[in-house]
Amino acid sequence: MSAPRIASVLTVDHRIPSGPFFDELAVGQAHSSPGLTLTDALVATHRAIVGDRTPIALDTNLATRVTGGRAVAHPALIWDVVIGQSTHFTQRAKANLFYRNLALRRLVEVGDTIYTDTEVVALRENSAKEGRHPTGMVVLRITAVDQEGRAVMDFSRCAMLPMSRPEVTTGHQDDLLTPGDAVDVDQLRGLVASWDLTRHPQGPAVRQGDRFIDGHGDVVSSAPELARTTLNLAAVHHDSRAAGKQRLVYGGHTVGLANAQLAKAFPHLVAVIGWNSCDHLGPVHENDTVFSTITVENVDDIGAHGQFVDFRCQVFKVVDGPPVEVLDWRPRALLALR
């Protein structure tokens, strides 16, 4: 029997596409992601990295009693996957700057598949700075559905991208998003209207102005694993060369740890079901330790056993020296009251 033939060696270099530069973007460009099925293995991997204790995401029987559904995927896993799926246009991002008005449309169950569409809606070139490569900011509108076409989530986010060459200018000066209004309360009421909060672990009501400080932080670990697991393509999370010597942690990782700290502070937290806003104030790196201060900004009672709470979670990292604020996250959460 003759030996198998060896394929000839390519004589031309082929470069793998690695995402557009800022000057290659235009308002209206859109991209659809590959779908991702939320398996038990994906749930377990995510839990191992962020360690969240939200009860209905841990206990299938509890989830069924409260929501009437099957095993519930943690909302933090849902938004991590959707954000990861939205990174086609931001593979070259230098930083993710903010999120606005993120709202869950339904709680995704384990076994569902998520599909995400991303559209460029605004572009703004940054002012030139001597000695710095020029950059611009892109705002993306992101919508996600499940395998049956049911709405899962929608929100906007803003990232900073480099120009392809130092001498390039685009003239883009679109208005970017401001913090804006809170997520739609009526929509969130509809989401939870059929839930039986009497079946959930209950706790005390909170009041506007209440403030809580987490006495213990969480170490940031398995950062590239989370980025890979959620299909995040941004090079700064994978390649130290793209990040300027040290990889940046995916922003959703920091938010996930803040969510875990919120759930630890409030064992009667049913779920975070929206974000009014989220601003990244500084870089986070693997092996940093992060902790939160939590302030109650607004309270909206829903019946005798529920309370929508607008929290402000200010997250600080500790490396050497005094703590540095890295995240200002304003989630809307549901608490079950006794």
Side-chain angles (χ1 to χ4, degrees):
M1 184 175 181
S2 60
R5 297 183 61 185
I6 300 174
S8 59
V9 177
L10 292 174
T11 57
V12 179
D13 288 339
H14 293 265
R15 184 175 293 276
I16 298 173
S18 53
F21 290 94
F22 178 82
D23 51 286
E24 295 171 336
L25 294 175
V27 171
Q29 286 179 312
H31 180 77
S32 297
S33 74
L36 182 62
T37 301
L38 302 184
T39 63
D40 288 327
L42 184 60
V43 169
T45 300
H46 188 266
R47 184 179 301 148
I49 296 172
V50 300
D52 198 291
R53 299 172 63 87
T54 301
I56 63 169
L58 299 174
D59 184 339
T60 300
N61 294 320
L62 177 65
T64 299
R65 294 196 299 269
V66 173
T67 70
R70 299 177 288 116
V72 170
H74 196 293
L77 173 59
I78 301 169
W79 68 58
D80 278 347
V81 167
V82 174
I83 293 169
Q85 289 176 316
S86 76
T87 52
H88 169 79
F89 292 116
T90 55
Q91 295 176 58
R92 298 183 186 273
K94 309 306 290 182
N96 203 67
L97 303 177
F98 61 74
Y99 303 83
R100 294 289 181 261
N101 300 335
L102 181 150
L104 287 178
R105 303 302 186 190
R106 62 180 298 269
L107 280 189
V108 177
E109 297 175 344
V110 178
D112 286 347
T113 301
I114 297 178
Y115 302 87
T116 298
D117 290 329
T118 306
E119 182 183 0
V120 177
V121 296
L123 295 163
R124 186 177 184 87
E125 185 173 329
N126 289 325
S127 300
K129 295 184 179 180
E130 188 175 353
R132 291 190 180 183
H133 191 89
T135 59
M137 293 182 287
V138 54
V139 176
L140 304 170
R141 179 66 188 273
I142 298 155
T143 56
V145 300
D146 67 9
Q147 69 280 0
E148 296 182 19
R150 296 173 295 187
V152 169
M153 180 180 293
D154 65 81
F155 60 99
S156 300
R157 72 179 179 93
C158 177
M160 183 170 67
L161 273 67
M163 299 287 189
S164 60
R165 301 180 308 280
E167 67 275 12
V168 171
T169 59
T170 65
H172 293 311
Q173 287 297 317
D174 296 338
D175 289 334
L176 301 184
L177 296 174
T178 57
D181 297 327
V183 291
D184 189 330
V185 175
D186 290 335
Q187 173 202 304
L188 297 183
R189 283 179 179 271
L191 173 66
V192 306
S194 63
W195 295 5
D196 185 355
L197 299 181
T198 66
R199 310 298 295 273
H200 192 278
Q202 298 173 339
V206 297
R207 297 174 301 176
Q208 186 176 12
D210 286 349
R211 191 165 181 264
F212 308 84
I213 299 176
D214 189 353
H216 297 93
D218 287 287
V219 66
V220 181
S221 61
S222 300
E225 286 77 8
L226 181 62
R228 293 176 189 137
T229 297
T230 56
L231 307 184
N232 196 308
L233 293 170
V236 292
H237 307 319
H238 303 277
D239 188 336
S240 60
R241 296 171 299 176
K245 298 184 179 179
Q246 190 174 9
R247 286 181 288 103
L248 295 177
V249 168
Y250 157 52
H253 195 152
T254 309
V255 176
L257 292 174
N259 197 123
Q261 292 168 359
L262 190 66
K264 184 174 66 172
F266 302 96
H268 54 309
L269 174 73
V270 184
V272 169
I273 51 181
W275 305 0
N276 293 322
S277 65
C278 182
D279 293 85
H280 294 291
L281 306 178
V284 178
H285 301 99
E286 197 159 24
N287 297 320
D288 287 351
T289 294
V290 296
F291 70 93
S292 302
T293 64
I294 302 165
T295 305
V296 177
E297 294 203 312
N298 189 56
V299 174
D300 181 17
D301 293 330
I302 53 169
H305 297 285
Q307 193 176 48
F308 279 137
V309 182
D310 289 324
F311 288 107
R312 182 184 184 187
C313 298
Q314 294 170 273
V315 180
F316 300 82
K317 73 174 181 180
V318 180
V319 186
D320 296 313
V324 176
E325 189 173 3
V326 294
L327 187 75
D328 188 347
W329 179 47
R330 302 185 187 219
R332 171 159 283 227
L334 177 64
L335 300 183
L337 307 182
R338 54 173 175 251

